[in-house]
Amino acid sequence: MPTVKMTVNGKPVSAEVEARTLLVHFLREHLDLTGTHVGCDTAQCGACTVHVGGKAVKSCNMLAVQADGAEVTTIEGLATGDTLHPMQEAFRDHHGLQCGFCTPGMVMSAIDLVKRKADLSEAEIRAGLEGNICRCTGYHNIVKAVQAGAAATRGR
Amino acid sequence: MFLQPKSVEAALAMMAEPGARLLAGGTDFFPAQGEQVIEHPVIDISRLADLRGIATTPTHIRIGGAATWSEIVAQPLPRGFDALKAAAKEIGSIQIQNRGTIAGNLCNASPAADSVPPLMALEAEVELLSAAGTRRLPLGAFILGNRKTALLPGEMVSAILVPRNVAENASAFGKLGARRYLVISIVMIAVAMSLENGRVGQARIAIGACSAVAQRLAEAEAALVGCRKAEEIAGRLHAGHLAALAPIDDVRATAGYRRDAALILLRRVAAAAMLAAGN
């Protein structure tokens, strides 16, 4: 079996995995990082969004071996100790979730979005989050949370 | 067996492995795989720097086959590529655009592949590389049918080439789907257009998702020559110009709806291209 080495949330990890292991299963089952969710398994819902090399990707759509040597960030890597990332804080403040299943992916996509363009209109946020599906909220509070999270990230 | 070649030459050598398949962005590969176990050898070419990057040669703009949609959107390119960029921004979602590649979209050969009409309107050619050497095919001769291409065993799409003179034309793109993203298109249109003394000199029009392979609409193109104003475009285009299409009835739309929508979208996108050409 191939050995994969990567940096996940700042820590070097290494494991022997079957080559067919998807990145999301590697994160959840080998590293016990279960904050990244599997929703549709077909690259539609975005619940499995993580950052690879600083870019948002759907981790159900990539093999762990394809991320060999890469820097990977998951939802667990955002907070500093007990201090949440401003985007996480904004989702909490604005009630940008109900059941919470889509939330890790939403937050990871939102951070990628804000990183590429700091000053986002509501329309840009809605377009930028098209790859993340939420079945509860109607997106309204998610958009508010991203606007607030973007402002807080700028001010940081 | 998972193979990660360090060079294009190594990848070509690995393709001699029986049943081997190339993997680039994987955005079509994994969803199509479903629950099936991957049993064939997989050659991951997503990290080969030689297959990425966008370069300008004396005659062409050359887009590496493994260039992602995000990379294409971020690259300053002549305005002929505005249509391709517009299509790229609506392919899947941002996460998909960060992984999905231009050659992957062509090799997947879906009738609804969003990049095909913009590239056809730019007279794009496909560069095919094998251990024996390279050859080039016009895009229309590369995609042969639904999920069928002219790729021979041992060949990969190494680059897409667009003539620089065509790339100078203004361009526009439009697509219709049940929603904007993460949806299989019902119809898409790309138009590249040049003006001569304020009138349409040449229009190149391609339509996708209304036949097994996207196609150019030569009669519609001819009908636009000499047009003086964007407002006149709608009147010059009629249903007869779409006679060569063979739209299907499926869960997304009926054939009749596709024909109606195609004409409306054609008029809108052609008018948009003319406005862009005048600016």
Side-chain angles (χ1 to χ4, degrees), chain B residues 38-275:
Chain B
I38 302 170
E39 299 200 24
H40 47 78
V42 170
I43 306 168
D44 179 16
I45 54 168
S46 62
R47 293 185 176 195
L48 295 178
D50 287 351
L51 292 178
R52 298 175 93 124
I54 300 169
T56 304
T57 74
T59 53
H60 289 81
I61 310 279
R62 186 179 192 280
I63 302 179
T68 65
W69 301 117
S70 298
E71 287 164 356
I72 289 167
V73 168
Q75 179 85 15
L77 288 168
R79 61 186 186 161
F81 286 91
D82 290 354
L84 183 68
K85 287 187 175 189
K89 286 181 190 168
E90 291 185 3
I91 287 179
S93 62
I94 286 167
Q95 299 100 318
I96 304 289
Q97 292 158 25
N98 282 341
R99 293 287 300 165
T101 65
I102 187 166
N105 196 239
L106 302 184
C107 292
N108 192 50
S110 161
D114 286 330
S115 73
V116 176
L119 288 171
M120 273 190 177
L122 289 178
E123 313 261 0
E125 289 182 301
V126 177
E127 182 186 272
L128 301 167
L129 180 64
S130 70
T134 57
R135 63 182 180 128
R136 278 193 203 174
L137 285 178
L139 180 54
F142 173 72
I143 304 175
L144 301 177
N146 182 8
R147 313 279 170 186
K148 276 191 218 131
T149 70
L151 267 181
L152 296 173
E155 265 184 339
M156 69 166 80
V157 173
S158 46
I160 320 301
L161 295 148
V162 171
R164 283 175 65 178
N165 58 338
V166 184
E168 294 304 323
N169 291 334
S171 66
F173 174 79
K175 85 172 179 187
L176 175 69
R179 60 189 291 236
R180 196 152 172 196
Y181 300 84
L182 288 167
V183 75
I184 294 174
S185 301
I186 291 168
V187 52
M188 54 299 186
I189 304 264
V191 178
M193 194 183 281
S194 63
L195 299 187
E196 282 167 24
N197 302 321
R199 295 171 177 236
V200 173
Q202 188 169 12
R204 293 179 172 88
I205 302 173
I207 180 166
C210 283
S211 47
V213 183
Q215 54 183 286
R216 289 274 295 271
L217 295 175
E219 288 177 22
E221 292 175 3
L224 293 186
V225 173
C227 183
R228 285 174 303 179
K229 286 186 185 156
E231 299 81 54
E232 289 173 12
I233 280 195
R236 285 175 175 250
L237 296 168
H238 57 80
H241 293 137
L242 304 176
L245 301 182
I248 57 166
D249 283 311
D250 71 359
V251 293
R252 289 172 204 99
T254 62
Y257 178 82
R258 278 192 164 90
R259 276 192 191 280
D260 287 352
L263 181 59
I264 292 167
L265 194 64
L266 170 61
R267 288 170 168 165
R268 286 183 191 166
V269 177
M274 184 155 185
L275 289 174

Side-chain angles (χ1 to χ4, degrees), chain A residues 49 56 61 66 68 130 132, chain B residues 26 30 47 95 98 179 181:
Chain A
T49 303
N61 221 346
Q66 289 185 284
D68 189 45
E130 287 278 357
N132 294 76
Chain B
F30 291 109
R47 293 185 176 195
Q95 299 100 318
N98 282 341
R179 60 189 291 236
Y181 300 84

Side-chain angles (χ1 to χ4, degrees), chain B residues 1-22:
Chain B
M1 187 178 7
F2 179 78
L3 302 164
Q4 215 157 28
K6 297 273 187 279
S7 69
V8 175
E9 293 68 33
L12 291 171
M14 288 170 183
M15 287 171 79
E17 200 71 47
R21 284 186 62 190
L22 293 179

